[in-house]
Amino acid sequence: MDRKELKQKVLLFYDQLFSKNEDPAKTSPNFWNEFFLLWTNQAKLEECVGRLSGQQLLRLKPVFNILTSQCVTVVQEEHNIKAVNAIQTLIAVVRGLARRGGVGFDVIDILFGFDVAEEQMKKLIERLCEFLMHEEHPNVLKKLSLDAFLSLATVTDKLAENELMRYFLNSNNVVLFDAIVQLLNNSTSRKLHGDSAVLLLTLLINYCKHENQFIAKLSILDDELALHGYSHVISTSLAEHNRFFQNHLSQSESKGMLASVTNMVGTMFVAEDVVLNSVKSDDRLLLAMYEAVHLNRNFITTLTSMPTQVDGMEMSASQDESTNLFVAFLTYCSVVIQDLKSERTRDAAKLCFVILTCIADDQYANGVMHDVNMAFRIPLYRAPMRHRKGAFDKSRPLRPLVVTVLDLLCEFISSHLMRQLPNELFGWALGIVQRIICYEKKCRVRLQYDWRALWNALISLLRFVVQQEAHLVQSFDVFVLCQKVVTILNLFITFGDTFLPDPTTYDHLYYEIIRQRDAFDNLYSLVLRYVNENSTLKESASKLGNQLINIRSIVSHLQPKVAQLGETSLTEEQVLAVVRGSYDSLTLKLYEYLDVVDRYDETPQHTAFFAELVSSVIA
């Protein structure tokens, strides 16, 4: 009998199963044995269940209860073929029921019956975890077990509407977390199943976060091998995406290449013959990295590590800096933040900035970023602009990680001065800059960096906001954004002598303020107009005016002295000489809380964002 005839026979079994509201084994004693020996036709079974009416489902409830019970029983047996068919059958039935409007308590009752649902799910979860944890079980069963978990977790668009997830979080089922950790521990299983394992853990973490034991388990996980395995799954996929993008970019000379290639942002989980959906791949990979960085401080140590051995097996000689998660992530960020045309790509850019915010919040991570002994050459993508073509900057020197982070943020600020200004993303970018500077001020780290690039980017942002104020003010409070910029500049003015590399750099700060004084004069004029007009933005404008006191004092104190030189064209050195000779007579205001930044907290402000993000992963 060929495979086609077997498929036809299983369809007859489906017809027989749903033709009566009783156990078919009553009339055919060998029914279940034959049923699970036939290859499951998941598409047909799902379609068959999905088209049943509400009345038919209620009538067939005993049949579904028996079918589910038989699936769970067969999975316990030591018969791989029957186990595979039982798992596939259960997945198809659940999907078919979910097509009718989610998975609520009514579906749980139809599947299992309320009285035995918890016991049946416990047996199923424990058995699937056995397949994952024990090496004697074939990889096909491991893959199918993960597919089953993922299918059960993603049958609804919103996790909160999936009542099956409650059984995963049952305190008796912590074995599932252990099974995932064990998969990540082993190099062979991680290579085959790592992406599915990481995705499953990410989904489990995002269900009912206020009472989620998986969050607690991940937050205290200190298994170094498992954490490195988690990191390796993400970094490998990110590095593959980066190579994919660079290859396409180098092969095209079209001016419109960015639009066509960035639509592929997110195709990171790449098998040899399958490229997964870009939306899912993008969101789930970043979400997995976010959860680890946000919840587990031990994970921070894996960002820059590249173990030479995993489970006693030498890593491929072709692996280079791209296997370093932080390096691959920064290169990937440089691509993501340049395409903000759709809500999906804007969300991806926001998630990149949230991850960087969590990293910048961590004292140890900041130390790693500033460590001069941990230097990397990290290519960053620079989008096409009027004065340049889009390309990867591969000529960058070996520098500490924080240099690349600051370059990335400067590039974002400079390349997104547009009428549809992404205000929220600018807020995240400026917050990261402030956190880095606060760390340097606190620890007196004198970073060798071209700070003028950052100052010019910040002042250009202020200049742009003033020019486009009439348009931008319709979308957001422009004075709040400017306050964030001026706060950073005040950090340099007030504490720059404690963290800038040398006195000359501090002198150049004043030079840039004098050179671009018109930007601050125009900003202050804008402030006065809103304050005097008694606008609804009067309060935020007034706060900004107060923050401009030091900058205006510098300009009013130094500009007359510069003018006294009586030359129409002054050299930089002439102005710097005036600056150096004027510090003693300059009076500045000491602002409070400049170096205090609230730590990132997901709840409640960002809860809705992550709920939508998880839904996009599932969709």
Side-chain angles (χ1 to χ4, degrees):
M1 185 177 293
D2 63 20
R3 191 176 183 86
K4 182 177 180 181
E5 290 176 329
L6 287 174
K7 288 184 178 180
Q8 292 174 341
K9 185 173 183 180
V10 81
L11 296 183
L12 296 175
F13 272 67
Y14 295 158
D15 292 338
Q16 183 179 350
L17 182 63
F18 297 121
S19 62
K20 299 179 181 179
N21 60 342
E22 62 179 15
D23 186 352
K26 289 183 178 180
T27 55
S28 303
N30 203 36
F31 177 87
W32 293 115
N33 184 54
E34 290 187 56
F35 182 84
F36 289 112
L37 284 173
L38 296 172
W39 293 112
T40 305
N41 190 325
Q42 287 184 280
K44 287 294 183 180
L45 180 55
E46 182 179 336
E47 179 185 346
C48 186
V49 174
R51 65 169 179 247
L52 293 173
S53 67
Q55 288 185 339
Q56 288 175 314
L57 284 176
L58 290 176
R59 180 176 62 82
L60 292 172
K61 177 179 176 295
V63 175
F64 280 105
N65 288 173
I66 294 168
L67 173 60
T68 304
S69 177
Q70 287 292 330
C71 287
V72 174
T73 300
V74 168
V75 169
Q76 311 298 318
E77 299 175 3
E78 298 297 330
H79 194 299
N80 290 342
I81 292 178
K82 293 173 70 175
V84 167
N85 290 323
I87 295 171
Q88 292 179 334
T89 297
L90 187 58
I91 292 173
V93 170
V94 174
R95 284 177 173 170
L97 291 173
R99 286 168 58 177
R100 306 189 70 262
V103 178
F105 292 113
D106 55 338
V107 172
I108 300 295
D109 190 34
I110 291 173
L111 270 176
F112 302 100
F114 278 134
D115 52 341
V116 297
E118 186 167 346
E119 179 186 355
Q120 294 278 54
M121 280 296 293
K122 183 175 183 295
K123 287 182 179 178
L124 177 65
I125 291 171
E126 289 180 348
R127 183 55 172 167
L128 295 182
C129 287
E130 285 183 26
F131 292 150
L132 295 176
M133 298 176 75
H134 296 158
E135 293 186 3
E136 64 267 21
H137 295 297
N139 281 319
V140 64
L141 266 181
K142 296 181 187 296
K143 180 182 183 303
L144 190 58
S145 297
L146 282 170
D147 288 346
F149 281 129
L150 288 171
S151 295
L152 295 177
T154 59
V155 289
T156 59
D157 290 340
K158 296 183 178 180
L159 280 182
E161 297 175 357
N162 185 357
E163 294 301 327
L164 286 172
M165 292 294 290
R166 293 190 177 275
Y167 298 101
F168 292 148
L169 267 63
N170 187 298
S171 59
N172 294 324
N173 289 325
V174 294
V175 65
L176 179 53
F177 182 86
D178 296 333
I180 294 173
V181 169
Q182 186 164 320
L183 279 177
L184 296 174
N185 262 326
N186 184 280
S187 61
T188 302
S189 62
R190 181 174 61 248
K191 183 177 180 180
L192 294 172
H193 314 297
D195 54 338
S196 295
V198 168
L199 173 59
L200 176 59
L201 182 57
T202 303
L203 294 175
L204 292 170
I205 287 170
N206 279 277
Y207 179 77
C208 290
K209 282 194 166 183
H210 60 284
E211 53 181 26
N212 191 318
Q213 63 173 326
F214 284 90
I215 289 179
K217 296 280 284 184
L218 179 60
S219 64
I220 62 174
L221 180 65
D222 59 359
D223 186 327
E224 187 175 343
L225 204 55
L227 291 172
H228 278 93
Y230 191 112
S231 176
H232 184 69
V233 169
I234 300 173
S235 63
T236 300
S237 298
L238 280 175
E240 179 63 29
H241 166 77
N242 292 336
R243 286 190 290 271
F244 175 79
F245 181 82
Q246 291 183 57
N247 290 338
H248 276 261
L249 193 64
S250 63
Q251 293 170 6
S252 175
E253 297 179 0
S254 170
K255 294 181 180 179
M257 187 58 189
L258 176 62
S260 63
V261 175
T262 49
N263 285 333
M264 303 175 193
V265 167
T267 52
M268 280 106 30
F269 286 108
V270 183
E272 289 183 8
D273 56 347
V274 178
V275 177
L276 298 181
N277 181 275
S278 61
V279 174
K280 292 182 180 180
S281 300
D282 176 56
D283 290 347
R284 69 187 187 179
L285 187 66
L286 293 176
L287 189 58
M289 183 175 178
Y290 161 76
E291 295 296 355
V293 170
H294 178 224
L295 296 174
N296 191 306
R297 290 202 67 205
N298 298 317
F299 186 77
I300 297 295
T301 63
T302 73
L303 293 177
T304 56
S305 61
M306 187 176 64
T308 55
Q309 286 189 326
V310 179
D311 295 336
M313 297 178 63
E314 291 291 337
M315 297 177 71
S316 170
S318 64
Q319 291 177 326
D320 55 19
E321 291 175 354
S322 63
T323 55
N324 176 320
L325 177 54
F326 209 158
V327 170
F329 173 67
L330 290 176
T331 300
Y332 174 71
C333 284
S334 70
V335 176
V336 172
I337 64 174
Q338 293 299 340
D339 177 30
L340 306 180
K341 296 182 180 65
S342 68
E343 183 178 357
R344 177 185 70 82
T345 53
R346 288 192 297 271
D347 286 346
K350 176 179 176 179
L351 189 50
C352 286
F353 282 148
V354 173
I355 293 170
L356 283 173
T357 299
C358 293
I359 293 172
D361 263 340
D362 188 89
Q363 181 90 353
Y364 175 80
N366 257 308
V368 170
M369 286 197 296
H370 286 82
D371 190 346
V372 295
N373 295 314
M374 298 185 67
F376 299 92
R377 183 176 288 109
I378 307 176
L380 293 182
Y381 177 71
R382 299 189 184 279
M385 300 177 74
R386 290 183 179 180
H387 63 286
R388 71 186 188 195
K389 295 182 178 180
F392 274 91
D393 182 3
K394 298 181 179 180
S395 61
R396 298 169 56 82
L398 287 168
R399 297 301 306 277
L401 286 162
V402 70
V403 170
T404 303
V405 174
L406 289 170
D407 285 348
L408 179 74
L409 298 172
C410 287
E411 175 67 19
F412 173 78
I413 294 171
S414 301
S415 61
H416 288 84
L417 300 178
M418 57 185 72
R419 283 175 60 83
Q420 300 300 323
L421 190 114
N423 175 54
E424 184 183 11
L425 295 180
F426 269 90
W428 285 106
L430 294 171
I432 297 165
V433 172
Q434 186 179 0
R435 284 169 169 81
I436 290 172
I437 296 172
C438 288
Y439 169 82
E440 293 176 355
K441 179 260 178 185
K442 177 182 177 181
C443 299
R444 295 183 176 272
V445 177
R446 297 188 180 275
L447 178 67
Q448 296 295 325
Y449 182 68
D450 180 13
W451 290 107
R452 283 183 295 186
L454 176 60
W455 300 333
N456 286 328
L458 295 176
I459 296 172
S460 295
L461 174 56
L462 293 178
R463 195 186 299 275
F464 180 82
V465 170
V466 172
Q467 292 172 349
Q468 301 294 328
E469 162 265 330
H471 174 75
L472 297 177
V473 78
Q474 300 176 33
S475 303
F476 60 89
D477 187 340
V478 295
F479 298 108
V480 171
L481 177 61
C482 292
Q483 285 173 33
K484 295 175 181 178
V485 175
V486 176
T487 295
I488 294 172
L489 293 174
N490 276 324
L491 269 169
F492 281 103
I493 293 169
T494 309
F495 304 113
D497 60 322
T498 66
F499 63 84
L500 289 174
D502 50 55
T504 302
T505 305
Y506 190 71
D507 297 338
H508 276 103
L509 169 63
Y510 283 68
Y511 172 81
E512 290 299 328
I513 292 174
I514 294 297
R515 187 176 70 87
Q516 304 194 60
R517 62 188 178 279
D518 63 308
F520 300 108
D521 291 341
N522 293 336
L523 179 60
Y524 189 68
S525 297
L526 181 65
V527 167
L528 290 179
R529 176 158 63 85
Y530 273 80
V531 170
N532 294 333
E533 288 178 355
N534 204 24
S535 163
T536 55
L537 301 180
K538 178 179 179 179
E539 183 178 353
S540 59
S542 179
K543 288 181 179 178
L544 176 58
N546 181 60
Q547 288 183 316
L548 285 169
I549 289 175
N550 279 346
I551 293 175
R552 296 186 67 244
S553 294
I554 292 171
V555 173
S556 62
H557 184 70
L558 296 179
Q559 181 55 31
K561 296 184 178 183
V562 173
Q564 287 176 4
L565 296 178
E567 298 184 26
T568 56
S569 180
L570 296 173
T571 65
E572 181 177 307
E573 280 304 318
Q574 286 177 302
V575 177
L576 287 174
V578 173
V579 170
R580 296 185 185 107
S582 303
Y583 288 131
D584 291 341
S585 56
L586 176 63
T587 301
L588 297 176
K589 178 178 179 178
L590 182 61
Y591 292 97
E592 294 182 345
Y593 309 118
L594 282 178
D595 56 343
V596 176
V597 186
D598 292 334
R599 288 184 64 85
Y600 167 79
D601 189 0
E602 180 181 318
T603 56
Q605 186 175 356
H606 308 294
T607 302
F609 169 74
F610 282 102
E612 289 299 320
L613 204 59
V614 172
S615 295
S616 74
V617 169
I618 296 173

PDB file of all heavy atoms in Angstrom, residues 98 101-103 153-162 203 610-619:
ATOM      1  N   ALA A  98      -8.965  26.228  17.768  1.00  0.00           N
ATOM      2  CA  ALA A  98      -8.583  27.631  17.946  1.00  0.00           C
ATOM      3  C   ALA A  98      -9.067  28.488  16.786  1.00  0.00           C
ATOM      4  O   ALA A  98      -9.318  29.694  16.960  1.00  0.00           O
ATOM      5  CB  ALA A  98      -7.070  27.744  18.091  1.00  0.00           C
ATOM      6  N   GLY A 101     -12.135  30.753  17.258  1.00  0.00           N
ATOM      7  CA  GLY A 101     -12.216  31.927  18.127  1.00  0.00           C
ATOM      8  C   GLY A 101     -11.424  31.831  19.406  1.00  0.00           C
ATOM      9  O   GLY A 101     -11.911  32.248  20.469  1.00  0.00           O
ATOM     10  N   GLY A 102     -10.213  31.318  19.340  1.00  0.00           N
ATOM     11  CA  GLY A 102      -9.355  31.317  20.527  1.00  0.00           C
ATOM     12  C   GLY A 102      -9.421  30.030  21.316  1.00  0.00           C
ATOM     13  O   GLY A 102     -10.090  29.067  20.945  1.00  0.00           O
ATOM     14  N   VAL A 103      -8.709  30.040  22.445  1.00  0.00           N
ATOM     15  CA  VAL A 103      -8.664  28.863  23.306  1.00  0.00           C
ATOM     16  C   VAL A 103      -9.025  29.306  24.721  1.00  0.00           C
ATOM     17  O   VAL A 103      -8.174  29.697  25.509  1.00  0.00           O
ATOM     18  CB  VAL A 103      -7.266  28.195  23.296  1.00  0.00           C
ATOM     19  CG1 VAL A 103      -7.247  26.997  24.233  1.00  0.00           C
ATOM     20  CG2 VAL A 103      -6.906  27.760  21.884  1.00  0.00           C
ATOM     21  N   ALA A 153       1.327  27.038  22.256  1.00  0.00           N
ATOM     22  CA  ALA A 153       1.517  28.387  22.796  1.00  0.00           C
ATOM     23  C   ALA A 153       1.059  29.474  21.840  1.00  0.00           C
ATOM     24  O   ALA A 153       0.762  30.592  22.267  1.00  0.00           O
ATOM     25  CB  ALA A 153       2.986  28.606  23.154  1.00  0.00           C
ATOM     26  N   THR A 154       0.989  29.162  20.548  1.00  0.00           N
ATOM     27  CA  THR A 154       0.719  30.206  19.552  1.00  0.00           C
ATOM     28  C   THR A 154      -0.589  30.010  18.801  1.00  0.00           C
ATOM     29  O   THR A 154      -0.777  30.573  17.720  1.00  0.00           O
ATOM     30  CB  THR A 154       1.876  30.272  18.532  1.00  0.00           C
ATOM     31  OG1 THR A 154       2.007  28.990  17.881  1.00  0.00           O
ATOM     32  CG2 THR A 154       3.190  30.625  19.207  1.00  0.00           C
ATOM     33  N   VAL A 155      -1.500  29.255  19.363  1.00  0.00           N
ATOM     34  CA  VAL A 155      -2.774  29.023  18.663  1.00  0.00           C
ATOM     35  C   VAL A 155      -3.684  30.241  18.712  1.00  0.00           C
ATOM     36  O   VAL A 155      -4.676  30.311  17.978  1.00  0.00           O
ATOM     37  CB  VAL A 155      -3.515  27.797  19.244  1.00  0.00           C
ATOM     38  CG1 VAL A 155      -2.818  26.518  18.866  1.00  0.00           C
ATOM     39  CG2 VAL A 155      -3.677  27.922  20.741  1.00  0.00           C
ATOM     40  N   THR A 156      -3.388  31.218  19.576  1.00  0.00           N
ATOM     41  CA  THR A 156      -4.145  32.469  19.609  1.00  0.00           C
ATOM     42  C   THR A 156      -3.196  33.628  19.330  1.00  0.00           C
ATOM     43  O   THR A 156      -2.002  33.546  19.613  1.00  0.00           O
ATOM     44  CB  THR A 156      -4.811  32.693  20.984  1.00  0.00           C
ATOM     45  OG1 THR A 156      -3.795  32.718  21.998  1.00  0.00           O
ATOM     46  CG2 THR A 156      -5.800  31.576  21.289  1.00  0.00           C
ATOM     47  N   ASP A 157      -3.748  34.698  18.776  1.00  0.00           N
ATOM     48  CA  ASP A 157      -2.919  35.855  18.450  1.00  0.00           C
ATOM     49  C   ASP A 157      -2.368  36.532  19.692  1.00  0.00           C
ATOM     50  O   ASP A 157      -1.301  37.152  19.653  1.00  0.00           O
ATOM     51  CB  ASP A 157      -3.712  36.872  17.630  1.00  0.00           C
ATOM     52  CG  ASP A 157      -4.010  36.360  16.228  1.00  0.00           C
ATOM     53  OD1 ASP A 157      -3.296  35.439  15.784  1.00  0.00           O
ATOM     54  OD2 ASP A 157      -4.953  36.871  15.601  1.00  0.00           O
ATOM     55  N   LYS A 158      -3.099  36.430  20.801  1.00  0.00           N
ATOM     56  CA  LYS A 158      -2.664  37.052  22.045  1.00  0.00           C
ATOM     57  C   LYS A 158      -2.467  35.974  23.101  1.00  0.00           C
ATOM     58  O   LYS A 158      -3.362  35.164  23.353  1.00  0.00           O
ATOM     59  CB  LYS A 158      -3.684  38.086  22.517  1.00  0.00           C
ATOM     60  CG  LYS A 158      -3.833  39.265  21.562  1.00  0.00           C
ATOM     61  CD  LYS A 158      -4.793  40.307  22.109  1.00  0.00           C
ATOM     62  CE  LYS A 158      -4.886  41.495  21.163  1.00  0.00           C
ATOM     63  NZ  LYS A 158      -5.823  42.538  21.660  1.00  0.00           N
ATOM     64  N   LEU A 159      -1.299  35.967  23.719  1.00  0.00           N
ATOM     65  CA  LEU A 159      -0.995  34.950  24.727  1.00  0.00           C
ATOM     66  C   LEU A 159      -2.008  34.946  25.854  1.00  0.00           C
ATOM     67  O   LEU A 159      -2.380  33.887  26.375  1.00  0.00           O
ATOM     68  CB  LEU A 159       0.404  35.198  25.311  1.00  0.00           C
ATOM     69  CG  LEU A 159       1.613  34.729  24.495  1.00  0.00           C
ATOM     70  CD1 LEU A 159       2.885  35.030  25.261  1.00  0.00           C
ATOM     71  CD2 LEU A 159       1.527  33.247  24.184  1.00  0.00           C
ATOM     72  N   ALA A 160      -2.461  36.132  26.251  1.00  0.00           N
ATOM     73  CA  ALA A 160      -3.376  36.234  27.391  1.00  0.00           C
ATOM     74  C   ALA A 160      -4.692  35.518  27.142  1.00  0.00           C
ATOM     75  O   ALA A 160      -5.396  35.165  28.102  1.00  0.00           O
ATOM     76  CB  ALA A 160      -3.637  37.707  27.719  1.00  0.00           C
ATOM     77  N   GLU A 161      -5.032  35.284  25.870  1.00  0.00           N
ATOM     78  CA  GLU A 161      -6.293  34.625  25.539  1.00  0.00           C
ATOM     79  C   GLU A 161      -6.136  33.117  25.372  1.00  0.00           C
ATOM     80  O   GLU A 161      -7.089  32.438  25.031  1.00  0.00           O
ATOM     81  CB  GLU A 161      -6.854  35.234  24.246  1.00  0.00           C
ATOM     82  CG  GLU A 161      -7.188  36.715  24.377  1.00  0.00           C
ATOM     83  CD  GLU A 161      -7.631  37.322  23.058  1.00  0.00           C
ATOM     84  OE1 GLU A 161      -7.622  36.585  22.037  1.00  0.00           O
ATOM     85  OE2 GLU A 161      -7.973  38.514  23.036  1.00  0.00           O
ATOM     86  N   ASN A 162      -4.951  32.613  25.625  1.00  0.00           N
ATOM     87  CA  ASN A 162      -4.672  31.181  25.451  1.00  0.00           C
ATOM     88  C   ASN A 162      -4.619  30.511  26.817  1.00  0.00           C
ATOM     89  O   ASN A 162      -3.610  30.568  27.526  1.00  0.00           O
ATOM     90  CB  ASN A 162      -3.344  31.005  24.712  1.00  0.00           C
ATOM     91  CG  ASN A 162      -3.044  29.551  24.399  1.00  0.00           C
ATOM     92  OD1 ASN A 162      -3.794  28.650  24.773  1.00  0.00           O
ATOM     93  ND2 ASN A 162      -1.934  29.314  23.725  1.00  0.00           N
ATOM     94  N   LEU A 203       8.313  33.094  24.744  1.00  0.00           N
ATOM     95  CA  LEU A 203       6.856  33.117  24.835  1.00  0.00           C
ATOM     96  C   LEU A 203       6.388  32.791  26.247  1.00  0.00           C
ATOM     97  O   LEU A 203       5.460  33.428  26.778  1.00  0.00           O
ATOM     98  CB  LEU A 203       6.252  32.129  23.839  1.00  0.00           C
ATOM     99  CG  LEU A 203       6.449  32.456  22.362  1.00  0.00           C
ATOM    100  CD1 LEU A 203       5.909  31.339  21.482  1.00  0.00           C
ATOM    101  CD2 LEU A 203       5.773  33.777  22.008  1.00  0.00           C
ATOM    102  N   PHE A 610       5.080  45.590  24.629  1.00  0.00           N
ATOM    103  CA  PHE A 610       5.592  44.222  24.560  1.00  0.00           C
ATOM    104  C   PHE A 610       4.476  43.215  24.305  1.00  0.00           C
ATOM    105  O   PHE A 610       4.704  42.180  23.666  1.00  0.00           O
ATOM    106  CB  PHE A 610       6.358  43.887  25.838  1.00  0.00           C
ATOM    107  CG  PHE A 610       7.733  44.472  25.859  1.00  0.00           C
ATOM    108  CD1 PHE A 610       8.011  45.616  26.587  1.00  0.00           C
ATOM    109  CD2 PHE A 610       8.756  43.909  25.123  1.00  0.00           C
ATOM    110  CE1 PHE A 610       9.269  46.179  26.584  1.00  0.00           C
ATOM    111  CE2 PHE A 610      10.025  44.463  25.102  1.00  0.00           C
ATOM    112  CZ  PHE A 610      10.279  45.602  25.835  1.00  0.00           C
ATOM    113  N   ALA A 611       3.267  43.521  24.767  1.00  0.00           N
ATOM    114  CA  ALA A 611       2.139  42.638  24.455  1.00  0.00           C
ATOM    115  C   ALA A 611       1.888  42.619  22.948  1.00  0.00           C
ATOM    116  O   ALA A 611       1.661  41.549  22.352  1.00  0.00           O
ATOM    117  CB  ALA A 611       0.892  43.103  25.200  1.00  0.00           C
ATOM    118  N   GLU A 612       1.938  43.789  22.311  1.00  0.00           N
ATOM    119  CA  GLU A 612       1.760  43.863  20.865  1.00  0.00           C
ATOM    120  C   GLU A 612       2.919  43.190  20.138  1.00  0.00           C
ATOM    121  O   GLU A 612       2.741  42.551  19.101  1.00  0.00           O
ATOM    122  CB  GLU A 612       1.644  45.323  20.426  1.00  0.00           C
ATOM    123  CG  GLU A 612       0.347  45.991  20.828  1.00  0.00           C
ATOM    124  CD  GLU A 612      -0.868  45.314  20.229  1.00  0.00           C
ATOM    125  OE1 GLU A 612      -0.797  44.905  19.049  1.00  0.00           O
ATOM    126  OE2 GLU A 612      -1.877  45.167  20.946  1.00  0.00           O
ATOM    127  N   LEU A 613       4.106  43.324  20.691  1.00  0.00           N
ATOM    128  CA  LEU A 613       5.284  42.720  20.075  1.00  0.00           C
ATOM    129  C   LEU A 613       5.173  41.194  20.087  1.00  0.00           C
ATOM    130  O   LEU A 613       5.484  40.526  19.094  1.00  0.00           O
ATOM    131  CB  LEU A 613       6.545  43.164  20.822  1.00  0.00           C
ATOM    132  CG  LEU A 613       7.867  43.129  20.066  1.00  0.00           C
ATOM    133  CD1 LEU A 613       7.815  44.017  18.833  1.00  0.00           C
ATOM    134  CD2 LEU A 613       8.998  43.575  20.984  1.00  0.00           C
ATOM    135  N   VAL A 614       4.727  40.651  21.207  1.00  0.00           N
ATOM    136  CA  VAL A 614       4.544  39.203  21.302  1.00  0.00           C
ATOM    137  C   VAL A 614       3.483  38.746  20.309  1.00  0.00           C
ATOM    138  O   VAL A 614       3.623  37.701  19.660  1.00  0.00           O
ATOM    139  CB  VAL A 614       4.166  38.800  22.740  1.00  0.00           C
ATOM    140  CG1 VAL A 614       3.791  37.323  22.798  1.00  0.00           C
ATOM    141  CG2 VAL A 614       5.320  39.073  23.694  1.00  0.00           C
ATOM    142  N   SER A 615       2.422  39.533  20.160  1.00  0.00           N
ATOM    143  CA  SER A 615       1.372  39.185  19.199  1.00  0.00           C
ATOM    144  C   SER A 615       1.922  39.153  17.781  1.00  0.00           C
ATOM    145  O   SER A 615       1.528  38.309  16.965  1.00  0.00           O
ATOM    146  CB  SER A 615       0.217  40.192  19.291  1.00  0.00           C
ATOM    147  OG  SER A 615      -0.421  40.107  20.551  1.00  0.00           O
ATOM    148  N   SER A 616       2.847  40.070  17.460  1.00  0.00           N
ATOM    149  CA  SER A 616       3.441  40.075  16.124  1.00  0.00           C
ATOM    150  C   SER A 616       4.331  38.856  15.912  1.00  0.00           C
ATOM    151  O   SER A 616       4.480  38.367  14.788  1.00  0.00           O
ATOM    152  CB  SER A 616       4.239  41.361  15.900  1.00  0.00           C
ATOM    153  OG  SER A 616       5.456  41.349  16.623  1.00  0.00           O
ATOM    154  N   VAL A 617       4.922  38.361  16.985  1.00  0.00           N
ATOM    155  CA  VAL A 617       5.730  37.140  16.901  1.00  0.00           C
ATOM    156  C   VAL A 617       4.835  35.943  16.590  1.00  0.00           C
ATOM    157  O   VAL A 617       5.167  35.080  15.776  1.00  0.00           O
ATOM    158  CB  VAL A 617       6.494  36.899  18.217  1.00  0.00           C
ATOM    159  CG1 VAL A 617       7.104  35.508  18.241  1.00  0.00           C
ATOM    160  CG2 VAL A 617       7.577  37.956  18.400  1.00  0.00           C
ATOM    161  N   ILE A 618       3.675  35.915  17.237  1.00  0.00           N
ATOM    162  CA  ILE A 618       2.761  34.783  17.077  1.00  0.00           C
ATOM    163  C   ILE A 618       2.061  34.811  15.728  1.00  0.00           C
ATOM    164  O   ILE A 618       1.819  33.774  15.114  1.00  0.00           O
ATOM    165  CB  ILE A 618       1.717  34.785  18.213  1.00  0.00           C
ATOM    166  CG1 ILE A 618       2.415  34.559  19.555  1.00  0.00           C
ATOM    167  CG2 ILE A 618       0.652  33.729  17.979  1.00  0.00           C
ATOM    168  CD1 ILE A 618       1.503  34.702  20.747  1.00  0.00           C
ATOM    169  N   ALA A 619       1.733  36.011  15.259  1.00  0.00           N
ATOM    170  CA  ALA A 619       0.910  36.158  14.047  1.00  0.00           C
ATOM    171  C   ALA A 619       1.527  35.462  12.834  1.00  0.00           C
ATOM    172  O   ALA A 619       2.734  35.436  12.674  1.00  0.00           O
ATOM    173  CB  ALA A 619       0.706  37.633  13.746  1.00  0.00           C
TER     174      ALA A 619
END
